[in-house]
Amino acid sequence: MVNTKDILETINMIREENLDIRTITMGISLYDCVSEDEDRLCEKIYDKITTRAQDLVQTGCNIEKEYGIPIVNKRVSVTPISLVGGNISPEGYIKVAETLDRAAKTLGINFIGGFSALVQKGMTKGAQNLISVIPEALAQTDFVCSSVNVASTKAGVNMDAIRLMGQAVKRAAYLTKDRDSIGCAKLVVFANVPEDNPFMAGAFHGVGEDECVINVGVSGPGVVSSAIQRAGDCDLSELADIIKKTAFKITRVGQLVASEASRRLDVPFGIVDLSLAPTPAVGDSVAHILENMGLESCGCHGTTAALAMLNDAVKKGGVMASSHVGGLSGAFIPVSEDAGMIAAVERGALTLEKLEAMTAVCSVGLDMIAIPGDTDENVICGIIADEIAIGVVNTKTTAVRVIPAYGKGVGDCIDYGGLLGRAPIMDINKYSPARFIGRGGRIPAPIHSLKN
């Protein structure tokens, strides 16, 4: 029986508390597009994507209108391109990136993910060629997103790959310097990457996935924040229970949209990612959730503990609402995309080191963080290596999306508008890890990876 109170509560979440479906992402396998001819490969990729996803945007809009649930983004993810491109030339990989971008524009989606490589243990020739042109590919396209998995708990940390990614981040910043180095905002470096993630810039269609799937990402920091405010000064056990119940309600909305999109598109339902994904909008901030829990400012001592509780309660509530929870599923802490995080950085309460500590207990990592444009690439490699090590040792997904804003320093700001928001340039430790990074090779997998 439909409960009127529940309906009214959901309507209020949407109207007053910024509840939305952050993305419907269609994952598409490109294995049947493989060709030794670069032009033929691009032709097959374009045809496959534009055929399979031709109704994605319209279906999302129809669901949005019929149910009154905002669906902010419609996206596509594809098989990691290094697995499809094989030994084509670096120039061929740029052609593929341009093809992906053309397909995205034809479909009217806002991002396409999968210009990616999996190099946690070693690098094929195809992966090397793709990584070598990531900066150029991101500079020459508008909607293509790139990700590289450089480590896993089973394989350890590929430091040679991290060194290449430090160089790629630095060059991507330079090539898009006229746009606040936006190329770096479309590039993520992962450890233990999930293969069913609907969120950009790290989405790709994993090797064990179906031919085509629908994955949905929900978002409701404002809903959780409001629930905590209404709870008043209850103890932490009760507060965790309130968060858990709220996450359940949020995820049920995502489950509804995912099921409807799957049915209408005649594509299997993959997962609901129940991550709390913030936006720069007032009242839609993970940082403000933490402050409503009792912190004077996000970043003060106690922040990591509060975030750990939040993340755990969100997961417990979400898994009861959907049989297929996946992706990243937790609380995101991007700086530029969260009004509360931006304010905490600007008041000096939130530092890069504190953000790194917070990533040990939440999803996903150091995300959308702007640093001085003159930062040495070895320091960038060190930032990546530290974050990746947290993921490997703790058997969790971690990632780095850092933006060395070309021509800018501490006190300046980059501003992308929209969901990508704006980010104050954060101060960083500039002492060099160059000798350590220069050793190369692999950091061996931790002993607890041997579970067989």
Side-chain angles (χ1 to χ4, degrees):
M1 186 177 188
V2 177
N3 188 311
T4 304
K5 180 182 177 183
D6 288 343
I7 294 174
L8 293 173
E9 185 178 38
T10 303
I11 291 172
N12 185 65
M13 288 178 180
I14 294 168
R15 288 183 175 176
E16 305 296 334
E17 299 170 354
N18 298 301
L19 174 63
D20 60 48
I21 300 300
R22 185 55 47 85
T23 180
I24 295 179
T25 301
M26 177 180 283
I28 302 173
S29 171
L30 298 183
Y31 283 125
D32 56 351
C33 298
V34 171
S35 174
E36 292 182 0
D37 181 88
E38 294 173 2
D39 293 331
R40 179 63 179 145
L41 171 65
C42 291
E43 180 184 345
K44 293 172 75 174
I45 287 175
Y46 178 83
D47 289 344
K48 178 76 177 284
I49 294 171
T50 54
T51 300
R52 292 308 299 256
Q54 62 182 338
D55 297 323
L56 176 63
V57 172
Q58 187 59 53
T59 299
C61 291
N62 291 342
I63 294 172
E64 185 175 17
K65 290 176 183 176
E66 290 177 34
Y67 287 92
I69 302 170
I71 300 173
V72 180
N73 299 299
K74 295 85 177 173
R75 298 166 170 170
V76 168
S77 64
V78 299
T79 306
I81 292 299
S82 69
L83 302 181
V84 178
N87 290 336
I88 64 173
S89 66
E91 293 74 21
Y93 276 107
I94 292 179
K95 284 184 182 180
V96 173
E98 292 172 340
T99 299
L100 294 175
D101 200 50
R102 184 161 56 93
K105 291 173 180 175
T106 298
L107 293 170
I109 58 177
N110 75 313
F111 279 125
I112 184 165
F115 196 73
S116 306
L118 309 176
V119 295
Q120 56 267 25
K121 198 171 184 180
M123 283 179 279
T124 64
K125 181 66 174 177
Q128 290 178 27
N129 286 349
L130 181 142
I131 290 172
S132 71
V133 296
I134 285 175
E136 287 74 15
L138 297 180
Q140 294 173 31
T141 59
D142 296 314
F143 302 113
V144 173
C145 292
S146 179
S147 59
V148 177
N149 192 66
V150 299
S152 72
T153 299
K154 277 289 186 182
V157 182
N158 186 343
M159 291 299 292
D160 293 326
I162 286 179
R163 180 164 52 185
L164 291 179
M165 292 314 299
Q167 296 168 359
V169 169
K170 187 76 172 177
R171 181 157 176 76
Y174 174 76
L175 291 178
T176 54
K177 60 184 179 180
D178 58 330
R179 291 170 282 163
D180 275 344
S181 299
I182 195 172
C184 300
K186 300 186 291 177
L187 174 58
V188 189
V189 185
F190 273 107
N192 293 318
V193 66
E195 300 189 356
D196 53 7
N197 166 28
F199 287 102
M200 298 297 171
F204 65 84
H205 189 65
V207 296
E209 295 290 318
D210 210 330
E211 179 71 17
C212 188
V213 297
I214 287 292
N215 298 319
V216 167
V218 298
S219 178
V223 179
V224 175
S225 188
S226 295
I228 292 171
Q229 284 182 309
R230 289 193 298 269
D233 292 328
C234 61
D235 69 23
L236 292 175
S237 296
E238 185 178 347
L239 193 62
D241 194 54
I242 289 168
I243 295 169
K244 183 172 64 176
K245 291 175 179 176
T246 305
F248 174 87
K249 296 172 185 176
I250 293 169
T251 307
R252 289 304 290 174
V253 175
Q255 176 75 20
L256 168 65
V257 170
S259 298
E260 273 298 297
S262 172
R263 181 182 65 81
R264 297 184 188 197
L265 291 165
D266 193 25
V267 171
F269 161 50
I271 58 93
V272 174
D273 186 317
L274 50 90
S275 298
L276 293 179
T279 72
V282 175
D284 200 27
S285 163
V286 170
H288 289 158
I289 294 176
L290 301 176
E291 290 166 3
N292 285 336
M293 290 170 71
L295 304 176
E296 183 178 4
S297 173
C298 178
C300 72
H301 295 298
T303 298
T304 305
L307 183 59
M309 191 188 91
L310 171 66
N311 204 53
D312 180 67
V314 166
K315 290 182 179 181
K316 286 175 178 173
V319 296
M320 291 297 292
S322 175
S323 298
H324 299 289
V325 170
L328 301 167
S329 289
F332 288 179
I333 53 170
V335 172
S336 77
E337 299 171 4
D338 186 308
M341 294 286 179
I342 295 168
V345 171
E346 290 178 335
R347 71 172 70 101
L350 185 60
T351 64
L352 186 63
E353 288 76 15
K354 187 59 178 178
L355 279 165
E356 183 181 300
M358 293 163 67
T359 64
V361 299
C362 80
S363 304
V364 158
L366 297 173
D367 194 20
M368 290 301 289
I369 294 170
I371 59 176
D374 62 357
T375 302
D376 183 77
E377 69 182 40
N378 287 298
V379 174
I380 296 172
C381 290
I383 292 171
I384 295 172
D386 283 346
E387 185 60 28
I388 294 308
I390 289 174
V392 168
V393 171
N394 290 287
T395 320
K396 70 183 294 290
T397 300
T398 53
V400 176
R401 187 162 47 151
V402 66
I403 304 163
Y406 193 87
K408 297 193 174 183
V410 177
D412 294 326
C413 185
I414 57 175
D415 194 342
Y416 300 128
L419 286 177
L420 292 178
R422 68 178 185 89
I425 309 299
M426 298 185 71
D427 196 14
I428 62 170
N429 187 328
K430 293 184 176 61
Y431 286 96
S432 178
R435 282 189 59 210
F436 175 70
I437 301 298
R439 291 179 181 272
R442 283 191 290 137
I443 297 176
I447 187 64
H448 59 259
S449 69
L450 302 175
K451 294 183 177 180
N452 291 336

